[in-house]
Amino acid sequence: SGVGLSLVLGFGVAYACYYLNSIAKKPQLVASNDRFCRFLEEYCPVVTETYYPTIWCWEGRVQTLLRPFITSRPQVQYRNELIKTADGGQISLDWFDNNDSSYYPDASTRPTVLLLPGLTGTSKESYILHMIHQSKTLGYRCVVFNNRGIAGEELLTPRTYCAANTEDLEAVIHHVHSLHPSAPFMAAGVSMGGMLLLNYLGKTGRDTPLMAAAIFSAGWNVFESVESLEKPLNWLLFNYYLTTCLQSSISRHRQMLEKLFDMDLVMKARTVREFDKQFTSVMFGYRSIDDYYEDSSPCRKLKSVGIPVLCLNSVDDVFSPAHAIPVETAKQNANVALVLTSCGGHIGFLEGIWPRKCTYMDRVFKQFVQAVFEHGNKIFSM
């Protein structure tokens, strides 16, 4: 027993040393604008502090897989609104009005955060619920943009959504701003929602009612993302499941979509690339899957972003490989700051022994949103 105890203690010490020396690290902050850097250091200090991933599940794939099952799901009471689009479709918005806000009792000036979920995500995703919980404590209002046909509403036209086409997002931003024109307004996008938001910002530059934006786990180069996801282990763990989720999201709209698509062929896809080739790229009129992926990749539009944007990625995210993160491009735009952690996976960022409540991503979101709404004048003159 004494030998066994010594082995256990020795292993524990060795593991702790390895963890502290190789796993727990400060994130890399990439920003060319000194004022933006100082702003983040003062009002969003979490981006300069050591990130201590959960000691028993720090690897990227493990964090990605476990987060949906480990993290809690805060209770949120939504108010749903369906808005019409120019082409005859409809978009489902889920509002958290926060009418009990003691910090901002006047609804007309209550800060508003627009939230964009991931590829097949909705307002029910745990990471969205946590963002709303963080916003609630600060007194802010939130509205979740659910992509067409994915949150239970019917498709009125044979059209869903993609990362490149920003028309629906533009309509939502205009609608929310028109309802509360005096309220400070920013947005946060996760995964594909972050890609869509970046593509919108690259298109609009400074011509947007948004004050700033936060981006989490965006896929910067879609070619590199799908190639990474098609590696055998990643296909088994993520790609096939994602493909079935995409197919499931459109299957209940089959009668509407069969007017334009060979749905039997679409349902035979076994990778995200095959699904996009047979369905998404065709729906939005691209000549080829390569044309669609080029237009969807936010790295191509990052130079044109005209408002302050904070982007959090982990370098071990198989959805967005480290070599595809546009570090050099980000350095050419004073409005952009990248925060790169060594661990965290895709929308993982688990921390603490039992990471049920708050993740590193949640803390970055809370601090940056609060910094923008309460001290944003210090960066808007950039």
Side-chain angles (χ1 to χ4, degrees), residues 76-81 93-99 101 107 110-116 123 127-146 172 176 179-180 183-188 365 369 373:
V76 174
Q77 190 68 39
Y78 288 118
R79 172 177 60 86
N80 183 255
E81 179 186 19
L93 301 180
D94 281 322
W95 289 85
F96 174 71
D97 295 301
N98 205 4
N99 288 324
S101 171
R110 185 176 303 144
T112 303
V113 187
L114 174 65
L115 301 176
L116 286 72
S123 59
Y127 56 82
I128 293 293
L129 298 175
H130 275 270
M131 287 181 174
I132 292 176
H133 177 71
Q134 300 286 356
S135 300
K136 178 182 178 180
T137 63
L138 297 170
Y140 307 149
R141 169 174 48 222
C142 293
V143 53
V144 184
F145 167 36
N146 298 295
V172 168
V176 173
L179 292 177
H180 306 286
F185 187 21
M186 67 175 293
F365 168 82
V369 170
F373 283 145

Short mmCIF file of all heavy atoms in Angstrom, two decimals, residues 76-81 93-99 101 107 110-116 123 127-146 172 176 179-180 183-188 365 369 373:
data_model
loop_
_atom_site.label_atom_id
_atom_site.label_comp_id
_atom_site.label_asym_id
_atom_site.label_seq_id
_atom_site.Cartn_x
_atom_site.Cartn_y
_atom_site.Cartn_z
N VAL A 76 -34.85 30.56 -18.62
CA VAL A 76 -35.09 31.84 -19.28
C VAL A 76 -36.50 31.82 -19.86
O VAL A 76 -36.88 30.88 -20.56
CB VAL A 76 -34.07 32.09 -20.41
CG1 VAL A 76 -34.43 33.36 -21.18
CG2 VAL A 76 -32.66 32.19 -19.86
N GLN A 77 -37.26 32.86 -19.57
CA GLN A 77 -38.61 32.99 -20.11
C GLN A 77 -38.56 33.94 -21.30
O GLN A 77 -38.28 35.13 -21.15
CB GLN A 77 -39.57 33.54 -19.04
CG GLN A 77 -41.04 33.49 -19.43
CD GLN A 77 -41.58 32.08 -19.53
OE1 GLN A 77 -41.22 31.23 -18.70
NE2 GLN A 77 -42.42 31.82 -20.51
N TYR A 78 -38.83 33.40 -22.48
CA TYR A 78 -38.76 34.19 -23.70
C TYR A 78 -40.12 34.74 -24.11
O TYR A 78 -41.17 34.19 -23.78
CB TYR A 78 -38.24 33.34 -24.87
CG TYR A 78 -36.78 32.98 -24.83
CD1 TYR A 78 -36.38 31.65 -24.75
CD2 TYR A 78 -35.79 33.96 -24.90
CE1 TYR A 78 -35.04 31.29 -24.74
CE2 TYR A 78 -34.45 33.62 -24.88
CZ TYR A 78 -34.08 32.29 -24.81
OH TYR A 78 -32.76 31.95 -24.80
N ARG A 79 -40.05 35.81 -24.87
CA ARG A 79 -41.22 36.32 -25.60
C ARG A 79 -40.90 36.17 -27.08
O ARG A 79 -39.96 36.76 -27.59
CB ARG A 79 -41.46 37.79 -25.25
CG ARG A 79 -42.54 38.45 -26.12
CD ARG A 79 -42.80 39.88 -25.68
NE ARG A 79 -41.60 40.73 -25.77
CZ ARG A 79 -41.23 41.38 -26.89
NH1 ARG A 79 -41.94 41.25 -28.02
NH2 ARG A 79 -40.15 42.15 -26.88
N ASN A 80 -41.69 35.38 -27.78
CA ASN A 80 -41.39 35.11 -29.18
C ASN A 80 -42.04 36.14 -30.11
O ASN A 80 -43.15 36.61 -29.86
CB ASN A 80 -41.88 33.71 -29.57
CG ASN A 80 -41.52 33.35 -31.00
OD1 ASN A 80 -42.37 33.34 -31.89
ND2 ASN A 80 -40.24 33.06 -31.23
N GLU A 81 -41.31 36.48 -31.15
CA GLU A 81 -41.82 37.40 -32.17
C GLU A 81 -41.44 36.85 -33.54
O GLU A 81 -40.30 36.45 -33.77
CB GLU A 81 -41.22 38.79 -32.01
CG GLU A 81 -41.68 39.79 -33.05
CD GLU A 81 -40.98 41.14 -32.97
OE1 GLU A 81 -39.90 41.20 -32.35
OE2 GLU A 81 -41.49 42.12 -33.55
N LEU A 93 -37.74 35.44 -33.56
CA LEU A 93 -36.90 36.11 -32.56
C LEU A 93 -37.40 35.76 -31.17
O LEU A 93 -38.60 35.81 -30.91
CB LEU A 93 -36.94 37.63 -32.75
CG LEU A 93 -36.49 38.19 -34.09
CD1 LEU A 93 -36.61 39.72 -34.09
CD2 LEU A 93 -35.07 37.77 -34.41
N ASP A 94 -36.49 35.41 -30.28
CA ASP A 94 -36.84 35.16 -28.90
C ASP A 94 -36.26 36.26 -28.03
O ASP A 94 -35.03 36.43 -27.95
CB ASP A 94 -36.31 33.80 -28.44
CG ASP A 94 -37.18 32.65 -28.93
OD1 ASP A 94 -38.42 32.81 -28.95
OD2 ASP A 94 -36.63 31.60 -29.30
N TRP A 95 -37.15 37.00 -27.39
CA TRP A 95 -36.77 38.16 -26.60
C TRP A 95 -36.69 37.81 -25.11
O TRP A 95 -37.57 37.15 -24.57
CB TRP A 95 -37.78 39.28 -26.76
CG TRP A 95 -37.79 39.96 -28.09
CD1 TRP A 95 -38.44 39.56 -29.22
CD2 TRP A 95 -37.13 41.19 -28.42
NE1 TRP A 95 -38.23 40.46 -30.23
CE2 TRP A 95 -37.42 41.46 -29.78
CE3 TRP A 95 -36.32 42.07 -27.71
CZ2 TRP A 95 -36.94 42.59 -30.43
CZ3 TRP A 95 -35.83 43.19 -28.36
CH2 TRP A 95 -36.14 43.45 -29.70
N PHE A 96 -35.65 38.28 -24.46
CA PHE A 96 -35.60 38.33 -23.00
C PHE A 96 -35.58 39.82 -22.65
O PHE A 96 -34.54 40.48 -22.73
CB PHE A 96 -34.36 37.63 -22.45
CG PHE A 96 -34.21 37.81 -20.97
CD1 PHE A 96 -35.07 37.17 -20.09
CD2 PHE A 96 -33.23 38.64 -20.45
CE1 PHE A 96 -34.95 37.35 -18.71
CE2 PHE A 96 -33.10 38.84 -19.08
CZ PHE A 96 -33.97 38.19 -18.22
N ASP A 97 -36.73 40.35 -22.29
CA ASP A 97 -36.89 41.80 -22.13
C ASP A 97 -36.23 42.34 -20.87
O ASP A 97 -35.87 43.52 -20.82
CB ASP A 97 -38.37 42.16 -22.12
CG ASP A 97 -39.05 41.86 -23.45
OD1 ASP A 97 -38.61 42.43 -24.47
OD2 ASP A 97 -39.99 41.04 -23.47
N ASN A 98 -36.10 41.51 -19.84
CA ASN A 98 -35.49 41.94 -18.57
C ASN A 98 -36.20 43.17 -18.00
O ASN A 98 -35.55 44.15 -17.60
CB ASN A 98 -34.00 42.22 -18.75
CG ASN A 98 -33.22 42.05 -17.45
OD1 ASN A 98 -33.78 41.66 -16.43
ND2 ASN A 98 -31.94 42.38 -17.47
N ASN A 99 -37.52 43.10 -17.98
CA ASN A 99 -38.29 44.25 -17.50
C ASN A 99 -38.12 44.52 -16.02
O ASN A 99 -38.53 45.57 -15.53
CB ASN A 99 -39.77 44.03 -17.81
CG ASN A 99 -40.06 44.17 -19.30
OD1 ASN A 99 -39.45 45.00 -19.99
ND2 ASN A 99 -40.98 43.36 -19.81
N SER A 101 -35.25 44.85 -14.67
CA SER A 101 -33.92 45.43 -14.53
C SER A 101 -33.95 46.66 -13.63
O SER A 101 -34.67 47.62 -13.89
CB SER A 101 -33.37 45.83 -15.92
OG SER A 101 -32.18 46.57 -15.78
N ALA A 107 -37.14 51.02 -20.47
CA ALA A 107 -36.95 50.06 -21.55
C ALA A 107 -36.41 50.71 -22.82
O ALA A 107 -35.73 50.05 -23.61
CB ALA A 107 -38.27 49.35 -21.86
N ARG A 110 -32.63 50.75 -22.35
CA ARG A 110 -31.99 49.55 -21.79
C ARG A 110 -31.07 48.93 -22.85
O ARG A 110 -31.50 48.64 -23.97
CB ARG A 110 -33.05 48.54 -21.37
CG ARG A 110 -32.50 47.29 -20.67
CD ARG A 110 -33.66 46.41 -20.22
NE ARG A 110 -34.54 47.16 -19.36
CZ ARG A 110 -35.88 47.01 -19.34
NH1 ARG A 110 -36.47 46.16 -20.16
NH2 ARG A 110 -36.60 47.75 -18.54
N PRO A 111 -29.80 48.72 -22.55
CA PRO A 111 -28.88 48.14 -23.54
C PRO A 111 -29.39 46.80 -24.05
O PRO A 111 -29.94 46.00 -23.29
CB PRO A 111 -27.58 47.98 -22.75
CG PRO A 111 -27.66 49.02 -21.68
CD PRO A 111 -29.10 49.08 -21.29
N THR A 112 -29.17 46.56 -25.35
CA THR A 112 -29.69 45.36 -26.01
C THR A 112 -28.55 44.57 -26.62
O THR A 112 -27.69 45.12 -27.31
CB THR A 112 -30.69 45.75 -27.10
OG1 THR A 112 -31.75 46.54 -26.53
CG2 THR A 112 -31.29 44.50 -27.76
N VAL A 113 -28.56 43.24 -26.37
CA VAL A 113 -27.57 42.34 -26.96
C VAL A 113 -28.29 41.37 -27.89
O VAL A 113 -29.17 40.63 -27.47
CB VAL A 113 -26.81 41.55 -25.88
CG1 VAL A 113 -25.68 40.74 -26.53
CG2 VAL A 113 -26.26 42.46 -24.80
N LEU A 114 -27.90 41.39 -29.15
CA LEU A 114 -28.41 40.43 -30.13
C LEU A 114 -27.51 39.21 -30.12
O LEU A 114 -26.29 39.33 -30.27
CB LEU A 114 -28.43 41.07 -31.52
CG LEU A 114 -28.81 40.15 -32.69
CD1 LEU A 114 -30.25 39.67 -32.56
CD2 LEU A 114 -28.60 40.88 -34.03
N LEU A 115 -28.09 38.01 -29.96
CA LEU A 115 -27.33 36.78 -29.85
C LEU A 115 -27.58 35.89 -31.07
O LEU A 115 -28.73 35.67 -31.45
CB LEU A 115 -27.70 36.02 -28.58
CG LEU A 115 -27.48 36.79 -27.26
CD1 LEU A 115 -27.98 35.97 -26.08
CD2 LEU A 115 -26.00 37.13 -27.08
N LEU A 116 -26.49 35.38 -31.66
CA LEU A 116 -26.58 34.52 -32.83
C LEU A 116 -26.02 33.14 -32.48
O LEU A 116 -24.81 32.99 -32.27
CB LEU A 116 -25.78 35.10 -34.00
CG LEU A 116 -26.34 36.32 -34.74
CD1 LEU A 116 -26.24 37.58 -33.89
CD2 LEU A 116 -25.59 36.53 -36.05
N SER A 123 -32.31 29.43 -29.52
CA SER A 123 -32.30 30.13 -28.23
C SER A 123 -32.27 29.18 -27.05
O SER A 123 -32.09 29.61 -25.91
CB SER A 123 -33.53 31.03 -28.13
OG SER A 123 -34.72 30.25 -28.25
N TYR A 127 -25.20 27.57 -24.10
CA TYR A 127 -24.31 28.73 -24.14
C TYR A 127 -25.09 30.02 -24.35
O TYR A 127 -24.70 31.08 -23.85
CB TYR A 127 -23.22 28.56 -25.20
CG TYR A 127 -23.69 28.29 -26.61
CD1 TYR A 127 -24.10 29.32 -27.45
CD2 TYR A 127 -23.71 26.99 -27.11
CE1 TYR A 127 -24.52 29.08 -28.75
CE2 TYR A 127 -24.13 26.73 -28.41
CZ TYR A 127 -24.54 27.78 -29.23
OH TYR A 127 -24.95 27.54 -30.51
N ILE A 128 -26.21 29.96 -25.06
CA ILE A 128 -27.08 31.14 -25.22
C ILE A 128 -27.75 31.46 -23.89
O ILE A 128 -27.83 32.64 -23.47
CB ILE A 128 -28.12 30.90 -26.33
CG1 ILE A 128 -27.45 30.78 -27.70
CG2 ILE A 128 -29.16 32.02 -26.33
CD1 ILE A 128 -26.81 32.05 -28.20
N LEU A 129 -28.26 30.45 -23.22
CA LEU A 129 -28.92 30.66 -21.92
C LEU A 129 -27.95 31.28 -20.91
O LEU A 129 -28.34 32.14 -20.11
CB LEU A 129 -29.46 29.33 -21.39
CG LEU A 129 -30.54 28.66 -22.25
CD1 LEU A 129 -30.90 27.29 -21.67
CD2 LEU A 129 -31.78 29.53 -22.36
N HIS A 130 -26.68 30.86 -20.95
CA HIS A 130 -25.69 31.43 -20.03
C HIS A 130 -25.40 32.89 -20.39
O HIS A 130 -25.21 33.73 -19.49
CB HIS A 130 -24.41 30.60 -20.06
CG HIS A 130 -24.46 29.43 -19.14
ND1 HIS A 130 -24.04 29.48 -17.84
CD2 HIS A 130 -24.91 28.16 -19.34
CE1 HIS A 130 -24.21 28.30 -17.27
NE2 HIS A 130 -24.73 27.47 -18.16
N MET A 131 -25.34 33.22 -21.66
CA MET A 131 -25.13 34.62 -22.05
C MET A 131 -26.29 35.49 -21.58
O MET A 131 -26.08 36.62 -21.12
CB MET A 131 -24.99 34.72 -23.57
CG MET A 131 -23.68 34.19 -24.11
SD MET A 131 -23.58 34.38 -25.91
CE MET A 131 -21.89 33.85 -26.18
N ILE A 132 -27.49 34.97 -21.68
CA ILE A 132 -28.65 35.72 -21.22
C ILE A 132 -28.61 35.87 -19.70
O ILE A 132 -28.93 36.95 -19.15
CB ILE A 132 -29.95 35.04 -21.68
CG1 ILE A 132 -30.07 35.15 -23.20
CG2 ILE A 132 -31.17 35.66 -21.00
CD1 ILE A 132 -31.26 34.44 -23.79
N HIS A 133 -28.21 34.82 -19.01
CA HIS A 133 -28.09 34.90 -17.55
C HIS A 133 -27.08 35.96 -17.15
O HIS A 133 -27.33 36.75 -16.22
CB HIS A 133 -27.68 33.53 -16.99
CG HIS A 133 -27.47 33.52 -15.51
ND1 HIS A 133 -28.51 33.62 -14.61
CD2 HIS A 133 -26.33 33.44 -14.77
CE1 HIS A 133 -28.03 33.61 -13.38
NE2 HIS A 133 -26.71 33.49 -13.44
N GLN A 134 -25.94 36.01 -17.84
CA GLN A 134 -24.93 37.03 -17.55
C GLN A 134 -25.49 38.43 -17.83
O GLN A 134 -25.25 39.37 -17.06
CB GLN A 134 -23.67 36.79 -18.40
CG GLN A 134 -23.00 35.45 -18.19
CD GLN A 134 -22.24 35.36 -16.87
OE1 GLN A 134 -22.16 36.33 -16.13
NE2 GLN A 134 -21.69 34.21 -16.58
N SER A 135 -26.20 38.57 -18.94
CA SER A 135 -26.79 39.86 -19.30
C SER A 135 -27.85 40.30 -18.30
O SER A 135 -27.97 41.49 -17.98
CB SER A 135 -27.39 39.79 -20.70
OG SER A 135 -26.41 39.45 -21.66
N LYS A 136 -28.61 39.34 -17.80
CA LYS A 136 -29.66 39.64 -16.83
C LYS A 136 -29.07 40.28 -15.58
O LYS A 136 -29.61 41.27 -15.06
CB LYS A 136 -30.42 38.37 -16.47
CG LYS A 136 -31.50 38.56 -15.42
CD LYS A 136 -32.18 37.24 -15.08
CE LYS A 136 -33.24 37.44 -14.00
NZ LYS A 136 -33.91 36.15 -13.65
N THR A 137 -27.96 39.75 -15.10
CA THR A 137 -27.35 40.29 -13.88
C THR A 137 -26.85 41.71 -14.08
O THR A 137 -26.73 42.47 -13.11
CB THR A 137 -26.18 39.40 -13.41
OG1 THR A 137 -25.15 39.40 -14.40
CG2 THR A 137 -26.64 37.98 -13.16
N LEU A 138 -26.57 42.07 -15.33
CA LEU A 138 -26.09 43.42 -15.63
C LEU A 138 -27.22 44.37 -15.99
O LEU A 138 -26.99 45.57 -16.18
CB LEU A 138 -25.08 43.37 -16.79
CG LEU A 138 -23.80 42.57 -16.51
CD1 LEU A 138 -23.00 42.39 -17.80
CD2 LEU A 138 -22.94 43.28 -15.47
N GLY A 139 -28.43 43.84 -16.11
CA GLY A 139 -29.60 44.68 -16.41
C GLY A 139 -29.91 44.84 -17.88
O GLY A 139 -30.75 45.67 -18.24
N TYR A 140 -29.27 44.04 -18.75
CA TYR A 140 -29.43 44.23 -20.19
C TYR A 140 -30.58 43.39 -20.76
O TYR A 140 -31.01 42.40 -20.18
CB TYR A 140 -28.15 43.85 -20.94
CG TYR A 140 -26.91 44.56 -20.43
CD1 TYR A 140 -25.66 43.94 -20.50
CD2 TYR A 140 -26.99 45.83 -19.86
CE1 TYR A 140 -24.52 44.58 -20.03
CE2 TYR A 140 -25.85 46.47 -19.39
CZ TYR A 140 -24.62 45.83 -19.48
OH TYR A 140 -23.50 46.47 -18.99
N ARG A 141 -31.04 43.79 -21.91
CA ARG A 141 -32.05 43.05 -22.67
C ARG A 141 -31.35 42.20 -23.73
O ARG A 141 -30.33 42.61 -24.29
CB ARG A 141 -33.00 44.05 -23.33
CG ARG A 141 -33.96 43.49 -24.37
CD ARG A 141 -34.94 44.55 -24.83
NE ARG A 141 -34.24 45.79 -25.16
CZ ARG A 141 -34.67 47.01 -24.82
NH1 ARG A 141 -35.78 47.18 -24.16
NH2 ARG A 141 -33.98 48.08 -25.16
N CYS A 142 -31.90 41.03 -24.03
CA CYS A 142 -31.33 40.18 -25.08
C CYS A 142 -32.41 39.77 -26.07
O CYS A 142 -33.58 39.66 -25.73
CB CYS A 142 -30.72 38.90 -24.48
SG CYS A 142 -29.27 39.15 -23.46
N VAL A 143 -31.97 39.55 -27.30
CA VAL A 143 -32.86 38.99 -28.32
C VAL A 143 -32.05 37.97 -29.12
O VAL A 143 -30.92 38.26 -29.53
CB VAL A 143 -33.46 40.09 -29.23
CG1 VAL A 143 -32.38 40.98 -29.83
CG2 VAL A 143 -34.32 39.47 -30.32
N VAL A 144 -32.61 36.78 -29.29
CA VAL A 144 -31.92 35.70 -29.99
C VAL A 144 -32.47 35.59 -31.41
O VAL A 144 -33.68 35.49 -31.62
CB VAL A 144 -32.10 34.36 -29.27
CG1 VAL A 144 -31.28 33.27 -29.96
CG2 VAL A 144 -31.70 34.49 -27.80
N PHE A 145 -31.56 35.62 -32.36
CA PHE A 145 -31.90 35.48 -33.78
C PHE A 145 -31.82 34.00 -34.15
O PHE A 145 -30.76 33.43 -34.25
CB PHE A 145 -30.91 36.32 -34.60
CG PHE A 145 -30.92 36.03 -36.09
CD1 PHE A 145 -32.08 35.73 -36.77
CD2 PHE A 145 -29.74 36.10 -36.82
CE1 PHE A 145 -32.08 35.48 -38.14
CE2 PHE A 145 -29.71 35.85 -38.18
CZ PHE A 145 -30.88 35.54 -38.84
N ASN A 146 -33.01 33.38 -34.29
CA ASN A 146 -33.08 31.99 -34.73
C ASN A 146 -33.13 31.95 -36.26
O ASN A 146 -33.97 32.61 -36.87
CB ASN A 146 -34.33 31.31 -34.18
CG ASN A 146 -34.34 31.26 -32.66
OD1 ASN A 146 -33.51 30.61 -32.04
ND2 ASN A 146 -35.29 31.96 -32.06
N VAL A 172 -33.02 41.70 -39.25
CA VAL A 172 -33.20 41.60 -37.81
C VAL A 172 -32.57 42.79 -37.10
O VAL A 172 -33.17 43.38 -36.20
CB VAL A 172 -32.61 40.27 -37.29
CG1 VAL A 172 -32.53 40.28 -35.77
CG2 VAL A 172 -33.45 39.10 -37.77
N VAL A 176 -34.70 45.34 -34.77
CA VAL A 176 -34.44 45.55 -33.34
C VAL A 176 -34.08 47.00 -33.07
O VAL A 176 -34.56 47.61 -32.10
CB VAL A 176 -33.31 44.61 -32.88
CG1 VAL A 176 -32.90 44.92 -31.45
CG2 VAL A 176 -33.74 43.15 -33.00
N LEU A 179 -37.08 49.32 -33.09
CA LEU A 179 -37.94 49.23 -31.90
C LEU A 179 -37.35 50.00 -30.72
O LEU A 179 -38.10 50.53 -29.89
CB LEU A 179 -38.11 47.76 -31.51
CG LEU A 179 -38.92 46.87 -32.45
CD1 LEU A 179 -38.93 45.43 -31.95
CD2 LEU A 179 -40.35 47.38 -32.59
N HIS A 180 -36.02 50.04 -30.64
CA HIS A 180 -35.34 50.70 -29.50
C HIS A 180 -34.20 51.56 -30.03
O HIS A 180 -33.02 51.29 -29.74
CB HIS A 180 -34.82 49.64 -28.52
CG HIS A 180 -35.85 48.67 -28.06
ND1 HIS A 180 -36.84 48.99 -27.15
CD2 HIS A 180 -36.06 47.36 -28.39
CE1 HIS A 180 -37.59 47.93 -26.94
NE2 HIS A 180 -37.14 46.93 -27.67
N ALA A 183 -31.55 52.83 -27.48
CA ALA A 183 -30.87 51.87 -26.62
C ALA A 183 -29.50 51.50 -27.19
O ALA A 183 -29.39 51.23 -28.39
CB ALA A 183 -31.72 50.62 -26.47
N PRO A 184 -28.45 51.49 -26.39
CA PRO A 184 -27.16 50.97 -26.85
C PRO A 184 -27.35 49.54 -27.35
O PRO A 184 -28.08 48.76 -26.76
CB PRO A 184 -26.28 51.03 -25.60
CG PRO A 184 -26.95 52.03 -24.71
CD PRO A 184 -28.41 51.91 -24.97
N PHE A 185 -26.64 49.19 -28.42
CA PHE A 185 -26.95 47.95 -29.15
C PHE A 185 -25.66 47.29 -29.61
O PHE A 185 -24.83 47.92 -30.27
CB PHE A 185 -27.83 48.33 -30.36
CG PHE A 185 -28.39 47.17 -31.15
CD1 PHE A 185 -28.52 45.91 -30.61
CD2 PHE A 185 -28.80 47.37 -32.47
CE1 PHE A 185 -29.05 44.86 -31.35
CE2 PHE A 185 -29.32 46.34 -33.21
CZ PHE A 185 -29.45 45.07 -32.65
N MET A 186 -25.47 46.03 -29.23
CA MET A 186 -24.34 45.27 -29.73
C MET A 186 -24.77 43.83 -29.99
O MET A 186 -25.91 43.45 -29.69
CB MET A 186 -23.15 45.34 -28.78
CG MET A 186 -23.34 44.66 -27.45
SD MET A 186 -21.81 44.67 -26.45
CE MET A 186 -20.73 43.60 -27.41
N ALA A 187 -23.87 43.02 -30.54
CA ALA A 187 -24.21 41.65 -30.90
C ALA A 187 -23.10 40.70 -30.51
O ALA A 187 -21.93 41.09 -30.39
CB ALA A 187 -24.49 41.55 -32.40
N ALA A 188 -23.48 39.43 -30.32
CA ALA A 188 -22.52 38.37 -30.05
C ALA A 188 -22.91 37.14 -30.85
O ALA A 188 -24.09 36.74 -30.84
CB ALA A 188 -22.48 38.04 -28.55
N PHE A 365 -17.49 37.08 -22.36
CA PHE A 365 -18.72 37.73 -22.84
C PHE A 365 -19.19 38.80 -21.86
O PHE A 365 -19.44 39.94 -22.24
CB PHE A 365 -19.83 36.69 -23.05
CG PHE A 365 -21.19 37.27 -23.27
CD1 PHE A 365 -21.57 37.73 -24.53
CD2 PHE A 365 -22.09 37.38 -22.23
CE1 PHE A 365 -22.83 38.28 -24.73
CE2 PHE A 365 -23.35 37.93 -22.42
CZ PHE A 365 -23.72 38.38 -23.68
N VAL A 369 -19.07 42.81 -22.85
CA VAL A 369 -20.35 43.49 -23.04
C VAL A 369 -20.49 44.64 -22.06
O VAL A 369 -20.89 45.75 -22.42
CB VAL A 369 -21.52 42.49 -22.91
CG1 VAL A 369 -22.86 43.22 -22.86
CG2 VAL A 369 -21.52 41.50 -24.07
N PHE A 373 -20.81 48.69 -23.05
CA PHE A 373 -21.98 49.48 -22.70
C PHE A 373 -21.66 50.58 -21.68
O PHE A 373 -22.29 51.64 -21.69
CB PHE A 373 -23.09 48.59 -22.16
CG PHE A 373 -23.82 47.82 -23.23
CD1 PHE A 373 -24.29 46.53 -22.99
CD2 PHE A 373 -24.08 48.37 -24.47
CE1 PHE A 373 -24.98 45.82 -23.95
CE2 PHE A 373 -24.77 47.67 -25.45
CZ PHE A 373 -25.21 46.39 -25.19
#
